[in-house]
mmCIF file of all heavy atoms in Angstrom:
data_model
loop_
_atom_site.group_PDB
_atom_site.id
_atom_site.type_symbol
_atom_site.label_atom_id
_atom_site.label_comp_id
_atom_site.label_asym_id
_atom_site.label_seq_id
_atom_site.Cartn_x
_atom_site.Cartn_y
_atom_site.Cartn_z
ATOM 1 N N MET I 1 -129.320 -72.141 -62.886
ATOM 2 C CA MET I 1 -128.461 -72.106 -64.068
ATOM 3 C C MET I 1 -128.404 -73.471 -64.775
ATOM 4 O O MET I 1 -128.223 -74.499 -64.133
ATOM 5 C CB MET I 1 -127.038 -71.798 -63.651
ATOM 6 C CG MET I 1 -126.041 -71.737 -64.837
ATOM 7 S SD MET I 1 -124.354 -71.221 -64.237
ATOM 8 C CE MET I 1 -123.951 -72.677 -63.231
ATOM 9 N N ILE I 51 -91.242 -87.264 -83.040
ATOM 10 C CA ILE I 51 -91.012 -87.665 -84.432
ATOM 11 C C ILE I 51 -92.353 -87.610 -85.096
ATOM 12 O O ILE I 51 -93.156 -88.552 -84.870
ATOM 13 C CB ILE I 51 -90.336 -89.012 -84.588
ATOM 14 C CG1 ILE I 51 -89.042 -89.025 -83.765
ATOM 15 C CG2 ILE I 51 -90.098 -89.315 -85.983
ATOM 16 C CD1 ILE I 51 -88.458 -90.423 -83.606
ATOM 17 N N MET I 56 -101.496 -82.550 -88.206
ATOM 18 C CA MET I 56 -102.800 -81.972 -88.607
ATOM 19 C C MET I 56 -102.739 -80.452 -88.414
ATOM 20 O O MET I 56 -102.100 -79.954 -87.549
ATOM 21 C CB MET I 56 -103.955 -82.537 -87.867
ATOM 22 C CG MET I 56 -104.153 -84.048 -88.122
ATOM 23 S SD MET I 56 -104.797 -84.444 -89.795
ATOM 24 C CE MET I 56 -106.469 -84.041 -89.549
ATOM 25 N N PRO I 57 -103.577 -79.689 -89.176
ATOM 26 C CA PRO I 57 -103.471 -78.237 -89.092
ATOM 27 C C PRO I 57 -103.950 -77.662 -87.816
ATOM 28 O O PRO I 57 -103.401 -76.700 -87.284
ATOM 29 C CB PRO I 57 -104.360 -77.765 -90.294
ATOM 30 C CG PRO I 57 -105.202 -78.975 -90.581
ATOM 31 C CD PRO I 57 -104.412 -80.186 -90.372
ATOM 32 N N ALA I 65 -95.516 -94.994 -83.437
ATOM 33 C CA ALA I 65 -95.968 -95.807 -82.306
ATOM 34 C C ALA I 65 -95.635 -95.241 -80.947
ATOM 35 O O ALA I 65 -95.205 -95.931 -79.995
ATOM 36 C CB ALA I 65 -95.372 -97.228 -82.447
ATOM 37 N N VAL I 71 -99.198 -98.112 -73.469
ATOM 38 C CA VAL I 71 -100.072 -99.223 -73.481
ATOM 39 C C VAL I 71 -99.405 -100.469 -72.795
ATOM 40 O O VAL I 71 -99.966 -101.197 -72.034
ATOM 41 C CB VAL I 71 -100.492 -99.641 -74.881
ATOM 42 C CG1 VAL I 71 -101.250 -101.001 -74.920
ATOM 43 C CG2 VAL I 71 -101.350 -98.548 -75.506
ATOM 44 N N PHE I 73 -97.088 -100.365 -70.497
ATOM 45 C CA PHE I 73 -97.054 -100.107 -69.055
ATOM 46 C C PHE I 73 -98.446 -100.412 -68.401
ATOM 47 O O PHE I 73 -98.580 -100.985 -67.362
ATOM 48 C CB PHE I 73 -96.615 -98.729 -68.660
ATOM 49 C CG PHE I 73 -96.590 -98.440 -67.215
ATOM 50 C CD1 PHE I 73 -95.453 -98.818 -66.488
ATOM 51 C CD2 PHE I 73 -97.604 -97.848 -66.546
ATOM 52 C CE1 PHE I 73 -95.416 -98.601 -65.121
ATOM 53 C CE2 PHE I 73 -97.587 -97.649 -65.215
ATOM 54 C CZ PHE I 73 -96.455 -98.021 -64.393
ATOM 55 N N PRO I 79 -104.888 -100.861 -64.070
ATOM 56 C CA PRO I 79 -105.591 -99.620 -64.398
ATOM 57 C C PRO I 79 -105.127 -98.414 -63.511
ATOM 58 O O PRO I 79 -105.045 -97.298 -63.983
ATOM 59 C CB PRO I 79 -107.071 -99.924 -64.263
ATOM 60 C CG PRO I 79 -107.046 -101.141 -63.303
ATOM 61 C CD PRO I 79 -105.835 -101.883 -63.687
ATOM 62 N N ALA I 84 -102.474 -93.126 -63.541
ATOM 63 C CA ALA I 84 -101.454 -92.170 -62.999
ATOM 64 C C ALA I 84 -100.338 -91.965 -63.959
ATOM 65 O O ALA I 84 -99.886 -90.795 -64.141
ATOM 66 C CB ALA I 84 -100.945 -92.794 -61.661
ATOM 67 N N ASN I 97 -95.666 -78.681 -75.290
ATOM 68 C CA ASN I 97 -96.358 -78.054 -76.383
ATOM 69 C C ASN I 97 -97.744 -77.624 -75.944
ATOM 70 O O ASN I 97 -98.662 -78.240 -76.489
ATOM 71 C CB ASN I 97 -96.308 -78.936 -77.623
ATOM 72 C CG ASN I 97 -96.810 -78.197 -78.837
ATOM 73 O OD1 ASN I 97 -96.766 -76.993 -78.979
ATOM 74 N ND2 ASN I 97 -97.298 -78.915 -79.770
ATOM 75 N N HIS I 102 -108.929 -72.996 -72.429
ATOM 76 C CA HIS I 102 -109.931 -73.061 -71.241
ATOM 77 C C HIS I 102 -109.301 -74.065 -70.218
ATOM 78 O O HIS I 102 -108.757 -75.091 -70.671
ATOM 79 C CB HIS I 102 -111.261 -73.590 -71.767
ATOM 80 C CG HIS I 102 -112.333 -73.402 -70.727
ATOM 81 N ND1 HIS I 102 -112.559 -74.314 -69.707
ATOM 82 C CD2 HIS I 102 -113.288 -72.436 -70.541
ATOM 83 C CE1 HIS I 102 -113.529 -73.929 -68.970
ATOM 84 N NE2 HIS I 102 -114.021 -72.786 -69.446
ATOM 85 N N VAL I 104 -110.753 -76.359 -68.348
ATOM 86 C CA VAL I 104 -111.409 -77.666 -68.598
ATOM 87 C C VAL I 104 -110.830 -78.340 -69.785
ATOM 88 O O VAL I 104 -110.551 -79.552 -69.772
ATOM 89 C CB VAL I 104 -112.920 -77.612 -68.514
ATOM 90 C CG1 VAL I 104 -113.460 -79.001 -68.711
ATOM 91 C CG2 VAL I 104 -113.443 -76.973 -67.269
ATOM 92 N N LEU I 140 -107.878 -100.452 -77.751
ATOM 93 C CA LEU I 140 -108.681 -99.938 -76.585
ATOM 94 C C LEU I 140 -108.082 -98.675 -76.094
ATOM 95 O O LEU I 140 -108.824 -97.701 -75.681
ATOM 96 C CB LEU I 140 -108.745 -100.998 -75.526
ATOM 97 C CG LEU I 140 -109.582 -102.310 -75.807
ATOM 98 C CD1 LEU I 140 -109.403 -103.265 -74.705
ATOM 99 C CD2 LEU I 140 -111.021 -101.876 -76.046
ATOM 100 N N ILE I 147 -112.093 -90.801 -77.501
ATOM 101 C CA ILE I 147 -113.303 -90.295 -76.869
ATOM 102 C C ILE I 147 -113.045 -88.931 -76.297
ATOM 103 O O ILE I 147 -113.852 -87.987 -76.389
ATOM 104 C CB ILE I 147 -113.818 -91.275 -75.797
ATOM 105 C CG1 ILE I 147 -114.385 -92.491 -76.436
ATOM 106 C CG2 ILE I 147 -114.886 -90.618 -74.885
ATOM 107 C CD1 ILE I 147 -114.691 -93.693 -75.495
ATOM 108 N N ALA I 158 -115.448 -76.023 -81.600
ATOM 109 C CA ALA I 158 -116.604 -76.067 -82.513
ATOM 110 C C ALA I 158 -116.517 -75.122 -83.662
ATOM 111 O O ALA I 158 -117.079 -75.345 -84.789
ATOM 112 C CB ALA I 158 -117.924 -75.933 -81.765
ATOM 113 N N ILE I 175 -110.387 -88.858 -85.985
ATOM 114 C CA ILE I 175 -110.118 -90.161 -86.495
ATOM 115 C C ILE I 175 -109.098 -90.070 -87.631
ATOM 116 O O ILE I 175 -108.382 -90.958 -87.992
ATOM 117 C CB ILE I 175 -111.367 -90.902 -87.011
ATOM 118 C CG1 ILE I 175 -111.142 -92.381 -87.104
ATOM 119 C CG2 ILE I 175 -111.858 -90.385 -88.295
ATOM 120 C CD1 ILE I 175 -110.893 -93.104 -85.805
ATOM 121 N N LEU I 178 -105.810 -90.044 -85.446
ATOM 122 C CA LEU I 178 -105.639 -91.141 -84.399
ATOM 123 C C LEU I 178 -105.893 -92.492 -85.075
ATOM 124 O O LEU I 178 -105.290 -93.424 -84.598
ATOM 125 C CB LEU I 178 -106.709 -90.860 -83.302
ATOM 126 C CG LEU I 178 -106.377 -89.837 -82.251
ATOM 127 C CD1 LEU I 178 -107.538 -89.591 -81.302
ATOM 128 C CD2 LEU I 178 -105.092 -90.070 -81.595
ATOM 129 N N PRO I 180 -104.899 -93.552 -88.274
ATOM 130 C CA PRO I 180 -103.551 -94.051 -88.773
ATOM 131 C C PRO I 180 -102.519 -94.256 -87.625
ATOM 132 O O PRO I 180 -101.734 -95.219 -87.788
ATOM 133 C CB PRO I 180 -103.129 -92.834 -89.696
ATOM 134 C CG PRO I 180 -104.369 -92.244 -90.108
ATOM 135 C CD PRO I 180 -105.316 -92.386 -88.938
ATOM 136 N N MET I 194 -92.839 -108.812 -79.194
ATOM 137 C CA MET I 194 -93.263 -107.517 -78.549
ATOM 138 C C MET I 194 -94.171 -107.734 -77.319
ATOM 139 O O MET I 194 -94.048 -107.044 -76.313
ATOM 140 C CB MET I 194 -94.006 -106.697 -79.604
ATOM 141 C CG MET I 194 -94.214 -105.236 -79.134
ATOM 142 S SD MET I 194 -92.759 -104.304 -78.784
ATOM 143 C CE MET I 194 -92.099 -104.103 -80.492
ATOM 144 N N TRP I 198 -94.430 -106.518 -71.982
ATOM 145 C CA TRP I 198 -95.324 -106.174 -70.907
ATOM 146 C C TRP I 198 -95.256 -107.360 -69.852
ATOM 147 O O TRP I 198 -95.451 -107.082 -68.683
ATOM 148 C CB TRP I 198 -96.668 -105.867 -71.327
ATOM 149 C CG TRP I 198 -97.499 -106.974 -71.872
ATOM 150 C CD1 TRP I 198 -97.583 -107.366 -73.176
ATOM 151 C CD2 TRP I 198 -98.466 -107.725 -71.262
ATOM 152 N NE1 TRP I 198 -98.483 -108.421 -73.395
ATOM 153 C CE2 TRP I 198 -99.071 -108.635 -72.173
ATOM 154 C CE3 TRP I 198 -98.927 -107.808 -69.890
ATOM 155 C CZ2 TRP I 198 -100.017 -109.591 -71.824
ATOM 156 C CZ3 TRP I 198 -99.919 -108.749 -69.563
ATOM 157 C CH2 TRP I 198 -100.439 -109.593 -70.525
ATOM 158 N N SER I 200 -92.605 -109.002 -69.096
ATOM 159 C CA SER I 200 -91.333 -108.867 -68.314
ATOM 160 C C SER I 200 -91.510 -107.703 -67.323
ATOM 161 O O SER I 200 -90.892 -107.698 -66.272
ATOM 162 C CB SER I 200 -90.211 -108.617 -69.258
ATOM 163 O OG SER I 200 -90.293 -107.408 -69.959
#
Side-chain angles (χ1 to χ4, degrees):
M1 181 178 64
I51 306 171
M56 296 289 282
V71 172
F73 181 84
N97 188 24
H102 190 279
V104 179
L140 291 173
I147 291 171
I175 200 64
L178 285 177
M194 190 63 69
W198 69 274
S200 64

